[in-house]
Amino acid sequence: DAGVTQSPTHLIKTRGQHVTLRCSPISGHKSVSWYQQVLGQGPQFIFQYYEKEERGRGNFPDRFSARQFPNYSSELNVNALLLGDSALYLCASSFDPYEQYFGPGTRLTVT
Amino acid sequence: KQEVTQIPAALSVPEGENLVLNCSFTDSAIYNLQWFRQDPGKGLTSLLLIQSSQREQTSGRLNASLDKSSGRSTLYIAASQPGDSATYLCAVTQGGSEKLVFGKGTKLTVNP
């Protein structure tokens, strides 16, 4: 089975722009979570979705939003990009409660 | 608020050495603890998952232990190899949430 996939791999945006990141979970997984990892730090939780409903939200501004589609894939949207949004964005999916499998990440650079 | 600390931040060892990575957490009411490996610029690979009712898990040369009462976990790597060089991250979840709370990781370098 394919693992968690994310697109794009890399992305360069300008301050003030908007970005959409995409994630496809492992087949059969209904839960998707998003994390932000800045250089030298551990990942920070942004959102969790299960069966298209938001189940959890981390301490991120309203510029960050997400949604989950009927096929369980997910999008993370970030508006009005700031330099500090530059990070590796990781998506994880799970079937059992709590054992999570991560994708390769999207590297976002804001200039 | 749950906080996870990993010590040391970096570790350099010669090939073949056995080593221990440490992880501590402030709130012992965890649901499970996961150890991950991350190669530079890449995603996370799950190594071991220990549920709160378990004391340890083993996979190949890796052994992870959990002491909930003291808020500690260790990852033991036997007979280290250069291919083990990576950052190792520890993360916990708490009941009712799938949110993982991560430490900052330990960067391991195994020298040939």
Side-chain angles (χ1 to χ4, degrees):
Chain A
D1 277 342
V4 177
T5 59
Q6 292 185 243
S7 63
T9 303
H10 296 91
L11 203 52
I12 300 174
K13 290 287 190 178
T14 303
R15 277 179 298 175
Q17 285 188 318
H18 163 270
V19 68
T20 297
L21 310 181
R22 295 177 175 83
C23 171
S24 292
I26 292 171
S27 177
H29 287 192
K30 298 181 180 179
S31 175
V32 170
S33 298
W34 288 95
Y35 292 81
Q36 180 197 65
Q37 186 179 27
V38 298
L39 200 62
Q41 302 292 316
Q44 296 290 316
F45 173 77
I46 311 175
F47 286 110
Q48 187 226 340
Y49 277 78
Y50 180 80
E51 290 275 17
K52 295 170 287 181
E53 291 190 3
E54 182 182 302
R55 285 286 186 90
R57 173 186 285 253
N59 188 24
F60 281 81
D62 291 344
R63 299 184 296 106
F64 288 76
S65 64
R67 56 179 175 168
Q68 187 177 32
F69 299 98
N71 66 354
Y72 305 111
S73 67
S74 177
E75 284 183 353
L76 175 69
N77 295 281
V78 187
N79 293 323
L81 285 166
L82 303 174
L83 295 178
D85 295 331
S86 296
L88 181 67
Y89 288 84
L90 296 163
C91 173
S93 75
S94 66
F95 176 73
D96 304 314
Y98 316 129
E99 181 161 15
Q100 298 187 43
Y101 298 87
F102 282 79
T106 294
R107 171 70 63 188
L108 172 64
T109 301
V110 182
T111 62
Chain B
K1 176 187 172 187
Q2 179 73 270
E3 293 183 359
V4 178
T5 303
Q6 292 188 245
I7 295 173
L11 183 62
S12 181
V13 300
E15 182 177 3
E17 191 160 300
N18 301 326
L19 57 99
V20 174
L21 306 181
N22 297 294
C23 171
S24 62
F25 44 94
T26 54
D27 185 345
S28 63
I30 64 168
Y31 187 81
N32 65 31
L33 183 145
Q34 258 182 289
W35 282 94
F36 295 90
R37 168 188 172 134
Q38 185 174 34
D39 294 293
K42 304 295 185 183
L44 277 61
T45 300
S46 180
L47 298 173
L48 290 164
L49 169 74
I50 311 177
Q51 295 184 3
S52 60
S53 58
Q54 299 174 320
R55 294 299 300 268
E56 65 177 333
Q57 283 286 341
T58 299
S59 176
R61 295 182 293 108
L62 305 180
N63 175 275
S65 67
L66 173 64
D67 184 343
K68 269 186 59 177
S69 60
S70 68
R72 294 181 181 182
S73 176
T74 60
L75 179 66
Y76 174 83
I77 302 177
S80 58
Q81 303 171 357
D84 294 331
S85 298
T87 295
Y88 290 80
L89 292 154
C90 164
V92 299
T93 59
Q94 295 185 269
S97 171
E98 287 197 26
K99 169 187 172 182
L100 283 163
V101 178
F102 283 87
K104 293 183 179 181
T106 293
K107 184 177 181 180
L108 173 66
T109 303
V110 180
N111 301 299

